[in-house]
Amino acid sequence: MTMPDVLEVDSVTKRYSERTILSDIYLKCTTGDIVGLFGRNGTGKSTLLKIVFGVEDANNKFVRVNGQKLSSQSEAFREISYLSQDTFLPNNITVLEVIRLTLNQKNVDSFSSDAILKPFLSNKVNSLSGGELRYLEIKLLLSLPSKFVLLDEPFNGISPLLIESVTDLIKSSSKSKGIIITDHDYQSVLNVMNRSYLLYDGSLKEISSREDLVNWGYLNAYT
């Protein structure tokens, strides 16, 4: 039996002036995991994902994959993919050109046969709706060879039909990847995750049920 790959984020501390946003955070994700990360605006969820990916400095951090510390940006990029809240695709080329630039040639045909993307392959990226663009970005990142994927607000601005399609993509990809996801659409996160945490007052609280989110004040009992 193949052992799962393991991403560990340890001792993460982040301060802005006198305010501590993240305090000695430890987070573990293995291939097969879909880890939900909840928290109110400003609690540091996006900051934590950026620190893990290596595009945000921290006062202290250790990021390891299978026990080996990631000591350079290139090592992090090889092991981890990251969906930010802002689009990262060039606007002035077609969807098919983006796919060809991102994926190995042998994967282009199967990727391009996606029923949602097929009608837009010859369109430029800047002509896509927000939901179509988000779907393309998510599918591209999940198709990369990296073992771990960080998804920041993947459900933001997309239709219920596309939410269902993105959920299916995430579940399917988790068979070979570890995925950490944060989104204010908490119900969609609850529907897809198999473990979850709440970022509260600088630290992570393990969440085992919706009631835990209510008890920590993240959700209203009548929501």
Side-chain angles (χ1 to χ4, degrees), residues 121-155:
L121 291 176
S122 61
N123 293 10
K124 289 197 173 180
V125 170
N126 60 11
S127 72
L128 299 179
S129 71
E132 293 158 355
L133 177 60
R134 205 64 172 156
Y135 179 85
L136 172 61
E137 291 176 325
I138 293 165
K139 184 162 186 174
L140 282 171
L141 288 178
L142 291 173
S143 299
L144 294 175
S146 52
K147 302 181 184 78
F148 300 95
V149 183
L150 314 176
L151 300 176
D152 194 351
E153 300 282 347
F155 302 115

Side-chain angles (χ1 to χ4, degrees), residues 7 11 22 27 37 44 50 52-53 62-63 68 87 96 103 116 119 123 133 144 147 155 159 167 177 185 210 216:
L7 169 67
S11 304
L22 303 170
L27 178 62
L37 183 60
K50 290 175 183 177
V52 174
F53 188 55
F62 297 96
V63 180
Q68 299 297 311
T87 183
L96 183 56
L103 303 180
I116 293 172
N123 293 10
L133 177 60
L144 294 175
K147 302 181 184 78
F155 302 115
S159 67
T167 297
K177 297 180 183 291
D185 181 357
R210 185 184 181 281
W216 280 105

